[in-house]
Each structure stands twice: as C-alpha cells, then as structure tokens.
Amino acid sequence: MEQRVSLITLGVADVVRARTFYESLGWRGQEVEETVFFQAGCLALVLWSREKLARDCGIDDERGAAGFGGIALAYNVRSEAEADELIEAARRAGGTVTRPTAPTFYGGYAGCFADPDGHVWEIAYNPGFTLAEDGSLILPDFGSS
C-alpha cells in the first residue's frame, strides 16, 4: 500500500450549509447527487451527509468518544483486485472490515475497514477518477458546479 490519501470525506449535518462555508473561503466545488467534491491539491475533500457516510462505511453513527467521528479517509486503487488485496491486508494487520468489497452504486468497487482506533478507511476502485502515476487523485469535470 502506497503511503497516501486520495479523499477525505467529511460527514456533515447540512451539505448546502457546508458547501456555502467552503465556497465562502474561495474553494470551488462540484456537486453530484448531494455530494460536493473539491480538488484539494493531489487529493479531494468531499462533503456528504453524515448519516449516509456512516451507512456507506458500514458503521453506526454513534456520537461520542467511542462512536463514529464523522470522517472517512479514502485510498483509491487502480483495480478491483487491488481493493480486495488491501482490505484483506488491513484485516490481517488488525483492522476491522466494516464493509466487505463489493460493486458500488457509482459503478466502482469498494470496501471499508476501521483501524484499531476506529478511524474508517474506504478502499475504492472508481473508474471515473484518474490516478496519476504518483497516486495523486484528479477529479473529473462533473459538468455542474
């Protein structure tokens, strides 16, 4: 596994409010199906409903020290096989698989695991996102803003 992060997803209470905040800071987002993507250097910052994010990660949205923190890190890969390999490597290393790899609603393939402290990582193959040779993520032009 390369040492990098592809996306940081923030689970927010109100996507419109959160987008307005970031755009007031000068960021430019693209919205696709109630999800806002910001190119942030070599990775993407994503705003998504906290409830949907927790459900997508396969965990309960419990608030508090032992519950879901509302943030998911994503590591994008170049193939479904690579996603399977990394989810299994995380399990062997002591992580908890919270969502086994499977086809996704967006036409990709992904699974999730939590590290020993409960931080959630999604391992995803998304044929719509470009990964540069160095692993940098390049968002497509979604055609809306």
Side-chain angles (χ1 to χ4, degrees), residues 4-5 7 14 19 22 29 35 41 55 57 63 67-68 74-75 77 82 98 100 102 106 114 116 130-131 137 139 145:
R4 62 180 167 80
V5 176
L7 297 98
D14 182 328
R19 179 181 185 176
Y22 283 97
T35 307
R55 188 172 46 246
C57 291
R63 309 247 174 159
F68 177 52
Y75 184 92
V77 296
E82 189 177 359
T98 59
Y106 56 79
T130 300
L131 287 179
L137 180 89
L139 289 174
S145 55

Side-chain angles (χ1 to χ4, degrees), residues 33 56 76 99 102-111 122-129:
E33 298 181 19
D56 188 61
N76 281 44
R99 190 183 89 214
T104 64
F105 68 92
Y106 56 79
Y109 186 79
E122 178 184 45
I123 305 299
Y125 167 65
N126 185 333
F129 287 0

Side-chain angles (χ1 to χ4, degrees), residues 5 9 23 34 36 57 67 71-72 82 101 115 119 125 128 132 134:
V5 176
T9 303
E23 289 186 340
E34 301 174 355
V36 180
C57 291
I71 297 175
E82 189 177 359
T101 49
D115 72 10
H119 302 110
Y125 167 65
D134 68 356

Side-chain angles (χ1 to χ4, degrees), residues 5-21:
V5 176
S6 302
L7 297 98
I8 298 171
T9 303
L10 303 178
V12 299
D14 182 328
V15 174
V16 173
R17 181 185 69 196
R19 179 181 185 176
T20 299
F21 172 80

